[in-house]
Amino acid sequence: MTLLSLILALALEQLRPLGNRNRVWLLFTRYANHLERNLNAGFNRHGVMAWLAAMLPPLLVALGGYYLLMAISPVLGLAWNVLVLYLTMGFRHFSSSFSEISLALSEGRDFDARQTLAHWTGQPTAELSVNEISRLSIEQGVVDSYRHVFGTMFWFLVLPGPAGAVLYRLSYILHQKWGERSSGDDLFGRFAARAMSWLDWIPVRLTAISFAIMGDFEDALYCWRSQARTWGHYAHGILLASAAGALGVKLGDPVRQDYTIKFRPELGLGEESDPDYLKSAVGLVWRSALLWLFVILLISVAAQLS
């Protein structure tokens, strides 16, 4: 049922993609805002209480709905899994922007590519060259593919029913809202940041290994070992360094933004990024996802035979 749930959810998402600003996530975001307004006193313990208060009700609904429907019919339990996965994961969260930028660059519409990239990443893009557009697009695509596919998939496999997918997706939303601004005297978001790092530890490394297997294995591992820690966000550094090595392309490096040079460490080996590598990056993500599905199939068959 696990493998079938993943396949059906990915197929449904390809046929009818669901944007980030759907009603379910907007409702949860409003709930998180309400908790922050009422519980944020600037201390870590209040952040822990708010995180638990935000997470427990959706997790109980996800698990309760799954076991209730499974008791009625396994088909209904499968449908519940597919619905929750459809809401929490999907390639189209990043591949649509990838495709738009790739098409715009291939047709010489650099301005449109910059606009799409700015909308996608929230970064200033007016001064970027074609190579810089390609580089930032690959970086954002690799991170988004992990967030929306591999990280969610891993925790869906680990926890019963769709609880893992809900846990990972909502933890990431709380990390964006609270964890990314936990600094100075305001410690409210510290636990949200720590929880996200705990949830990321294993799947980030499994995803990097998948990139290595599906690309240039030696270069991917070399870049992972030698370059990942130079990146500001270590988990993202692992993903980006391994993907860059697997693709044989250079990522990172300085870019021109806000009328200045934004210095960033070099990631990867080989050639400078260009629009052709956008398609290569999408191919790497797809091959890695298929590898995960194949491994899940082998585990399922082995479990049945035993």
Side-chain angles (χ1 to χ4, degrees), residues 25 36 51 85 94 114 144 184-185 196 205 215 222 263:
W25 301 132
E36 183 178 9
W51 192 91
L85 283 172
F94 73 96
R114 292 188 186 95
D144 277 8
D185 296 330
M196 196 72 252
R205 287 156 176 80
Y222 171 79
F263 291 97

Side-chain angles (χ1 to χ4, degrees), residues 40-48 178 181-192:
N40 185 3
F43 294 99
N44 182 59
R45 64 179 180 272
H46 299 129
V48 175
W178 302 343
R181 54 182 176 81
S182 59
S183 59
D185 296 330
D186 187 358
L187 304 179
F188 180 77
R190 176 176 290 182
F191 183 78

Side-chain angles (χ1 to χ4, degrees), residues 44-175:
N44 182 59
R45 64 179 180 272
H46 299 129
V48 175
M49 294 169 55
W51 192 91
L52 291 173
M55 295 298 300
L56 288 178
L59 286 174
L60 290 176
V61 170
L63 273 178
Y66 173 72
Y67 285 118
L68 176 63
L69 293 173
M70 280 292 293
I72 299 173
S73 169
V75 175
L76 293 177
L78 173 65
W80 180 251
N81 273 353
V82 172
L83 174 62
V84 175
L85 283 172
Y86 174 64
L87 292 171
T88 55
M89 68 179 293
F91 275 95
R92 294 296 290 272
H93 288 284
F94 73 96
S95 64
S96 59
S97 297
F98 238 65
S99 300
E100 290 178 27
I101 293 171
S102 179
L103 179 61
L105 292 177
S106 67
E107 295 177 351
R109 296 183 287 109
D110 298 353
F111 176 80
D112 293 339
R114 292 188 186 95
Q115 291 292 99
T116 302
L117 181 61
H119 179 72
W120 182 19
T121 65
Q123 300 183 47
T125 60
E127 305 159 74
L128 298 180
S129 66
V130 170
N131 286 345
E132 289 170 335
I133 295 171
S134 302
R135 200 187 317 154
L136 292 179
S137 297
I138 293 172
E139 292 169 8
Q140 188 70 36
V142 168
V143 173
D144 277 8
S145 70
Y146 167 74
R147 292 295 181 200
H148 294 290
V149 180
F150 299 105
T152 306
M153 189 185 300
F154 173 83
W155 284 106
F156 172 71
L157 298 172
V158 170
L159 298 182
V166 173
L167 172 67
Y168 188 81
R169 178 64 171 162
L170 299 189
S171 294
Y172 179 58
I173 293 176
L174 295 181
H175 170 66

Side-chain angles (χ1 to χ4, degrees), residues 294-304:
F294 180 69
V295 171
I296 296 169
L297 174 62
L298 292 181
I299 294 173
S300 301
V301 171
Q304 290 295 326

